[in-house]
Amino acid sequence: MRRIGDPGSTSALGGALRQQAITLADLVADLTQVANRAERAGRPDATTRERELLERTARELDAVGAALQSYTATVLAGAARTRELATEAARADLVVDGSLVLEAPGPSRVDPTVRLRARERLQELLNRVTAAEGKELGRIARELERSGPALATVSERSRLGS
């Protein structure tokens, strides 16, 4: 399974993105208070555009950050499960090599039929771990494909003042 970064760094990045989203949401709340005071005083709201851009940015950062943290949780759970499967495989003279369950080198004292059944069962369980990680990685890709253009639009609007 192809992984992105190490789990600690990936989770930290997700957390940093989510923290920035919270900071932006706090700024939106502050601007909303300013807008409400202006409205009560009969002045126009000069913060509408800024609040909209900040809200959109916060949503995008939070979505990507959540996807990264979810991926990290899946990878860590998958690593723990893979270690369990490797221990079980060793009892049947099998080894886990990446995403494959293989026969251990050398002669085996385990009945060949029992060994084959164990290999098939363990491979299926390992496939589930790999599939879960792939699903989460796909989620990150979809979030980035969706979020990238949205953030580019926010950036462009900010630069142009529109």
Side-chain angles (χ1 to χ4, degrees), residues 95-112:
V95 294
V96 172
D97 183 13
S99 61
L100 297 175
V101 178
L102 306 169
E103 292 185 11
S108 175
R109 295 178 191 217
V110 178
D111 177 84

Side-chain angles (χ1 to χ4, degrees), residues 127-150:
N127 288 348
R128 291 178 191 174
V129 170
T130 303
E133 291 178 11
K135 181 179 175 183
E136 287 294 329
L137 199 54
R139 177 179 172 208
I140 291 171
R142 287 187 302 279
E143 278 300 331
L144 291 174
E145 286 174 8
R146 184 197 58 73
S147 194

Side-chain angles (χ1 to χ4, degrees), residues 4-81:
I4 54 172
D6 69 276
S9 296
T10 302
S11 181
L13 175 58
L17 291 174
R18 297 190 90 187
Q19 183 57 52
Q20 287 302 310
I22 290 169
T23 300
L24 293 177
D26 289 345
L27 289 173
V28 170
D30 292 345
L31 288 174
T32 300
Q33 290 176 355
V34 169
N36 291 339
R37 282 194 300 271
E39 185 179 307
R40 284 192 302 270
R43 289 178 279 138
D45 176 12
T47 66
T48 302
R49 181 179 142 281
E50 287 81 5
R51 282 185 289 142
E52 177 191 332
L53 294 174
L54 289 171
E55 285 172 348
R56 181 91 187 262
T57 302
R59 275 194 310 271
E60 299 305 327
L61 293 178
D62 188 58
V64 173
L68 289 170
Q69 289 185 319
S70 179
Y71 172 76
T72 299
T74 299
V75 166
L76 292 175
R81 182 65 176 136

Side-chain angles (χ1 to χ4, degrees), residues 81-117:
R81 182 65 176 136
T82 299
R83 284 190 301 275
E84 292 170 3
L85 295 174
T87 299
E88 192 174 334
R91 287 192 292 268
D93 287 338
L94 300 168
V95 294
V96 172
D97 183 13
S99 61
L100 297 175
V101 178
L102 306 169
E103 292 185 11
S108 175
R109 295 178 191 217
V110 178
D111 177 84
T113 304
V114 171
R115 193 174 185 191
L116 177 62
R117 274 193 239 125

